C-alpha cells in the first residue's frame, strides 16, 4: 500500500510540475544581464515558478538561463 501511495503522489507531483512550463514559439532574442544577446532559432520554455528559460542552440545543445542571468526576452 505504501508503494502505491508513493507512486500516486509522484505522478500527481509530476503533472503539477509540467503545468509550470510554458513553451513559446521562436525565434527568440534573450537579453542577458551583461547586455549581450542570445538568439534561439527554436522555441523556448519558461518556468512560471522559477522564471528559468530553457532553449537549444544551433547545435542542439540544451541551455538554461535563470532569472538573474537575463533582463528580458522577445519572441516572434
Amino acid at each position: 500500500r505504501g508503494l502505491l501511495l508513493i507512486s500516486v503522489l509522484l505522478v500527481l507531483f509530476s503533472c503539477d510540475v509540467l503545468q509550470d512550463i510554458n513553451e513559446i514559439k521562436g525565434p527568440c532574442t534573450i537579453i542577458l544581464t551583461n547586455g549581450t544577446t542570445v538568439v534561439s532559432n527554436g522555441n523556448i520554455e519558461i518556468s512560471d515558478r522559477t522564471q528559468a528559460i530553457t532553449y537549444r542552440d544551433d547545435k542542439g545543445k540544451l541551455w538554461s538561463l535563470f532569472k538573474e542571468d537575463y533582463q528580458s526576452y522577445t519572441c516572434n
Side-chain angles (χ1 to χ4, degrees):
R1 278 188 160 173
L3 185 58
L4 177 61
L5 178 60
I6 291 171
S7 298
V8 169
L9 289 174
L10 286 174
V11 168
L12 290 174
F13 178 74
S14 297
C15 291
D16 187 43
V17 169
L18 291 176
Q19 293 174 353
D20 175 55
I21 305 296
N22 295 307
E23 186 171 5
I24 301 175
K25 294 186 181 207
C28 299
T29 301
I30 305 163
I31 301 173
L32 304 180
T33 54
N34 66 6
T36 62
T37 59
V38 173
V39 177
S40 167
N41 292 323
N43 299 344
I44 63 172
E45 293 180 348
I46 302 177
S47 166
D48 288 334
R49 186 172 48 85
T50 65
Q51 295 299 302
I53 295 175
T54 304
Y55 69 96
R56 291 194 182 272
D57 65 15
D58 290 337
K59 296 179 182 177
K61 185 174 178 180
L62 188 64
W63 294 89
S64 291
L65 297 169
F66 297 96
K67 185 60 183 159
E68 61 270 7
D69 300 326
Y70 69 92
Q71 294 178 14
S72 63
Y73 65 89
T74 56
C75 299
N76 296 332

